[in-house]
């Protein structure tokens, strides 16, 4: 037995004794019904032997039928016995379930209460539902099978002894050998099941944490290490499953020895038994005891102890045992405290990099070319699908503030992805600063534009690291000015200043959006694309953020969440699925029915 299992048994023994001590009446009544089951098992085999020896073989078929009638009554009375057993079983299992639920609730409340460890009790729902039900069902199964085997075996063995002592000489050795082999497998089987469960949980936790940190992994370049860790966990889970399968094979062999060899031994020893005075009826009664009573009870016992017993031990230890932190340092996805520096166009070191040189070339082009230009751009998500954008022409001047409005699903987000170069058009051409963006390297695109989506990306690190991620040359004064411009001061102060730690899960959606908007504001990229990036902000915060972004040197394209964004823009592009219109607020009120409808809906 492993130290973990020994500790679990020591922890569970006192509460188990107290639980059973308070239910002595139920246990006594359950034992009385079980005695009736033992008598039933004894009577069936004994009646079969008497019907043969004293009835049919003695030439008295009426007596033989009478004894068979007694056996039939004993079999039919089993339904009444089972009903009585289950009625008493509820008096043990339901209080256990109620106690486990109270324990699980108390643990969760203690964790959340002042002075407790705090944090989210992620296992609370599992304990209250799945684990409690597993414990109740496993406990009920164990009580039923253990009770049934003990009393049924007692009745069957007593019946064999009453028929002829020589029967026990033949039946007991293989039965005892199978039971001994089975008992030998219990401890290693339980240890293997615990290791398999731990390996499965570790693999699941790793997969969940890796999925939640995909963007951090990509940004940090730590994907290969996480992949290797995952491969190791898969190998561990496979090894634990193989070990469990090996011990399951041994348990199956034990079941075969105990469940089949007694019958074979009895058949082989028929001649010997007949020579020692065992009658034909006694032989038939012995077979009846084995096939109808003893071996089925033994099979059920081995199955229950091998599966339900170990599950019950593990689940009770998790619910009643001391609370521990399940995640260890080695289980967490490795994400560095500071992310690697992104490509920046404001490098001050001598000897410009390739990315810096590309950015400089773009800057030269931008002085003479439109900031954004779409030439007959069409985009369809499928060969026969209706185009989302159809032959769209658009020209945005350097430094212009453009808003994009339209109904949901009309293609606003698709437009920002096309301009950002993350989506290629079906036909036509998209240019930024005079150059096509389709197929251009990511480093060059990063030097050109920043795309802020609806769900902002904030990583674990310091506040300063998050704000300056796209502009690693930004000084502290620039960071403080940007924080003030967006009204982010209270949040930064709450987190402990620019050197404070950011935990993304503890920020509201609006706070994450503001962090991302300040990051985009500090970026040297000349083009900012906001895809409803202010949807989690209130109108006042949205207006303040857009005013700050519009005052920044460069071009701003905003997919509007509120029509007030269009009113603040230099021009607005209206996408209506038929014909796109672009103009000022006043011009669109005059020329675009859809824009008038949107304005009326907003004002109402």
């Amino acid at each position: 037995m492993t130290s973990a299992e020994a500790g679990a048994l020591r922890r569970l023994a006192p509460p188990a004794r107290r639980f059973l001590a308070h239910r002595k009446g139920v246990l006594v009544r359950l034992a009385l019904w079980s005695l009736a089951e033992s008598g039933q098992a004894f009577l069936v085999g004994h009646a079969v032997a008497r019907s043969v020896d004293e009835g049919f073989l003695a030439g008295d078929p009426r007596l033989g039928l009478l004894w068979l009638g007694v056996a039939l009554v004993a079999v039919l009375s089993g339904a009444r016995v089972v009903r009585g057993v289950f009625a008493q079983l509820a008096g043990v299992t339901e209080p256990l379930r109620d106690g486990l639920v109270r324990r699980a609730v108390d643990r969760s409340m203690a964790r959340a209460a002042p002075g407790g460890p705090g944090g989210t009790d992620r296992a609370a729902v599992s304990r209250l539902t799945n684990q409690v039900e597993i414990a109740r069902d496993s406990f009920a199964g164990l009580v039923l099978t253990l009770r049934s085997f003990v009393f049924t075996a007692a009745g069957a063995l007593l019946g064999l002894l009453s028929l002829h002592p020589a029967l026990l000489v033949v039946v007991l050795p293989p039965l005892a050998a199978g039971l001994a082999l089975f008992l030998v497998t219990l401890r290693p089987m339980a240890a293997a099941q615990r290791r398999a469960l731990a390996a499965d949980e570790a693999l699941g936790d790793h997969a969940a944490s890796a999925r939640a940190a995909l963007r951090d992994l990509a940004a940090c370049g730590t994907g290969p290490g996480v992949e290797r860790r995952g491969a190791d966990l898969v190998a561990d889970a496979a090894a634990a499953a193989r070990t469990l399968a090996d011990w399951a094979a041994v348990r199956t062999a034990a079941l075969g020895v105990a469940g089949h060899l007694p019958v074979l031994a009895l058949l082989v020893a028929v001649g010997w038994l007949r020579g020692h005075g065992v009658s034909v009826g006694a032989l038939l009664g012995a077979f009846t005891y084995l096939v109808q009573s003893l071996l089925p009870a033994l099979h059920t016992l081995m199955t229950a102890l091998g599966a339900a017993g170990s599950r019950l031990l593990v689940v009770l230890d998790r619910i009643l045992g001391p609370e521990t932190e399940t995640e260890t340092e080695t289980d967490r996805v490795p994400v560095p405290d500071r992310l690697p520096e992104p490509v920046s166009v404001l490098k001050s070191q001598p000897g410009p990099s390739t990315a810096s040189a590309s950015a400089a070339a773009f800057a030269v082009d931008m002085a003479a070319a439109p900031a954004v230009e779409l030439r007959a751009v069409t985009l369809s998500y499928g060969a026969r699908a209706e185009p989302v954008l159809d032959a769209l022409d658009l020209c945005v001047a350097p430094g212009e503030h453009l808003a994009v409005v339209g109904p949901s699903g009309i293609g606003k987000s698709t437009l920002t992805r096309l301009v950002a170069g993350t989506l290629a058009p079906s036909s036509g051409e998209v240019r930024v600063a005079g150059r096509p963006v389709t197929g251009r390297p990511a480093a060059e695109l990063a030097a050109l534009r920043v795309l802020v989506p609806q769900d902002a990306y904030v990583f674990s690190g310091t506040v300063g690291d998050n704000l300056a991620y796209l502009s690693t040359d930004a000084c502290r004064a620039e960071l403080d000015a940007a924080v003030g411009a967006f009204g982010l001061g209270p949040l930064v102060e709450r987190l402990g200043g620019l050197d404070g730690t950011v935990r993304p899960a503890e920020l509201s959606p609006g706070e994450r959006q503001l962090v991302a908007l300040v990051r985009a504001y500090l970026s040297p990229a000349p083009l900012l694309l906001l895809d409803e990036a202010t949807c989690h902000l209130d109108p006042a915060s949205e207006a303040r953020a857009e005013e700050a972004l519009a005052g920044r040197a460069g071009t701003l394209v905003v997919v509007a969440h509120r029509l007030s964004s269009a009113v603040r823009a230099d021009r607005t592009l209206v996408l209506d699925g038929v014909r796109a219109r672009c103009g000022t607020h006043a011009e669109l009120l005059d020329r675009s029915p859809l824009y008038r409808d949107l304005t009326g809906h907003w004002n109402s």
Side-chain angles (χ1 to χ4, degrees):
M1 180 179 294
T2 64
S3 58
E5 291 163 351
L9 287 174
R10 286 194 297 270
R11 287 192 297 270
L12 295 177
R17 286 194 296 267
R18 289 194 299 270
F19 176 80
L20 295 176
H22 286 85
R23 285 155 186 87
K24 292 179 180 178
V26 175
L27 295 178
V28 169
R29 290 190 294 271
L30 189 60
L32 292 176
W33 280 110
S34 299
L35 280 175
E37 187 174 355
S38 180
Q40 176 204 8
F42 173 84
L43 192 58
V44 170
H46 191 79
V48 169
R50 288 293 186 90
S51 70
V52 173
D53 288 338
E54 300 177 5
F56 298 113
L57 291 181
D60 190 353
R62 286 185 299 179
L63 183 58
L65 291 175
L66 179 61
W67 276 112
L68 287 180
V70 172
L72 178 62
V73 171
V75 170
L76 294 178
S77 67
R80 182 70 182 90
V81 173
V82 170
R83 179 181 177 184
V85 167
F86 273 89
Q88 301 305 318
L89 184 65
V92 180
T93 57
E94 295 309 311
L96 173 69
R97 179 186 182 278
D98 295 342
L100 293 178
V101 169
R102 284 193 295 271
R103 169 64 178 173
V105 171
D106 289 344
R107 169 179 288 190
S108 298
M109 296 297 292
R111 184 182 182 92
T120 302
D121 190 359
R122 294 174 293 179
V125 174
S126 176
R127 285 197 295 269
L128 283 171
T129 56
N130 186 42
Q131 295 185 28
V132 166
E133 292 304 316
I134 288 175
R136 183 182 68 169
D137 294 343
S138 299
F139 180 69
L142 283 176
V143 171
L144 282 175
T145 54
L146 283 171
R147 174 207 56 79
S148 177
F149 174 75
V150 170
F151 287 92
T152 300
L157 293 176
L158 184 61
L160 288 172
L161 180 63
S162 69
L163 294 177
H164 200 287
L167 292 172
L168 291 179
V169 176
V170 176
V171 170
L172 277 181
L175 185 65
L179 276 174
L181 181 60
F182 172 73
L183 292 175
V184 167
T185 66
L186 282 181
R187 288 183 178 180
M189 187 80 173
Q193 285 180 328
R194 183 179 289 275
R195 287 194 297 271
L197 178 61
D200 183 65
E201 289 181 346
L203 181 59
D205 289 343
H206 178 78
S209 59
R211 178 182 176 276
L214 284 178
R215 288 193 287 190
D216 285 335
L217 297 175
C220 299
T222 55
V226 175
E227 182 180 357
R228 288 191 297 271
R229 171 63 176 162
D232 292 340
L233 290 174
V234 169
D236 292 343
R242 285 193 294 269
T243 302
L244 186 61
D246 291 340
W247 282 110
V250 176
R251 189 182 69 185
T252 303
L255 182 60
V257 171
H260 300 290
L261 280 187
V263 177
L264 293 176
L266 197 59
L267 287 172
V268 171
V270 166
W272 180 82
L273 290 170
R274 290 289 290 157
H276 284 74
V278 179
S279 66
V280 175
L283 285 173
L284 288 177
F287 280 112
T288 302
Y289 281 129
L290 290 177
V291 176
Q292 295 295 325
S293 300
L294 188 58
L295 298 185
L298 178 64
H299 184 279
T300 305
L301 173 70
M302 289 185 173
T303 303
L305 283 181
S310 57
R311 285 201 306 267
L312 179 63
L313 177 63
V314 172
V315 171
L316 287 179
D317 186 41
R318 289 176 181 271
I319 298 178
L320 300 177
E323 184 175 4
T324 58
E325 183 61 41
T326 58
E327 183 185 36
T328 63
E329 292 296 330
T330 58
D331 293 330
R332 297 190 180 106
V333 174
V335 178
D337 293 335
R338 183 180 179 87
L339 296 178
E341 293 186 358
V343 176
S344 174
V345 298
L346 293 181
K347 294 291 184 182
S348 59
Q349 292 82 354
S353 64
T354 303
S356 298
S358 300
F362 275 124
V364 173
D365 290 339
M366 183 166 286
V372 177
E373 186 177 11
L374 276 67
R375 300 178 180 178
V377 169
T378 298
L379 189 283
S380 298
Y381 291 105
R384 299 186 179 181
E386 291 291 329
V388 179
L389 299 175
D390 190 7
L392 177 63
D393 293 316
L394 178 66
C395 184
V396 182
E400 188 176 5
H401 178 188
L402 177 74
V404 182
V405 301
S408 298
I410 203 66
K412 303 186 295 295
S413 296
T414 298
L415 176 63
T416 60
R417 292 178 59 195
L418 287 168
V419 176
T422 60
L423 182 65
S426 303
S427 62
E429 188 177 36
V430 180
R431 289 175 173 263
V432 173
R435 293 194 178 186
V437 297
T438 303
R440 192 162 293 280
E444 294 183 2
L445 291 175
L448 268 182
R449 85 290 180 269
V450 173
L451 173 61
V452 183
Q454 297 180 30
D455 297 318
Y457 171 52
V458 177
F459 55 85
S460 297
T462 67
V463 176
D465 287 343
N466 270 276
L467 298 181
Y469 178 54
L470 299 177
S471 179
T472 55
D473 294 330
C475 64
R476 199 174 190 89
E478 291 174 323
L479 294 177
D480 290 336
V483 167
F486 284 80
L488 205 62
L491 173 62
V492 173
E493 182 179 354
R494 190 187 86 206
L495 296 177
L498 294 176
D499 295 325
T501 301
V502 173
R503 296 179 178 84
E506 297 178 1
L507 299 184
S508 69
E511 290 169 341
R512 290 196 293 269
Q513 292 294 139
L514 281 175
V515 171
L517 290 172
V518 174
R519 181 193 299 153
Y521 174 83
L522 291 168
S523 166
L527 173 63
L528 296 187
L529 303 168
L530 308 184
D531 184 8
E532 295 196 33
T534 59
C535 62
H536 297 297
L537 304 182
D538 58 78
S541 299
E542 179 186 59
R544 183 172 187 171
E546 287 187 2
E547 180 182 356
L549 292 170
R552 171 188 179 276
T555 306
L556 178 63
V557 177
V558 179
V559 173
H561 177 65
R562 300 179 178 90
L563 202 65
S564 54
S565 297
V567 176
R568 288 189 290 266
D570 298 328
R571 286 192 303 156
T572 300
L573 173 67
V574 182
L575 298 178
D576 59 7
V578 179
R579 180 181 177 185
R581 297 180 182 274
C582 191
T584 64
H585 176 68
E587 292 171 345
L588 291 173
L589 285 176
D590 182 55
R591 298 187 337 217
S592 173
L594 175 60
Y595 191 76
R596 287 197 298 271
D597 290 343
L598 292 173
T599 303
H601 176 73
W602 175 258
N603 290 335
S604 64

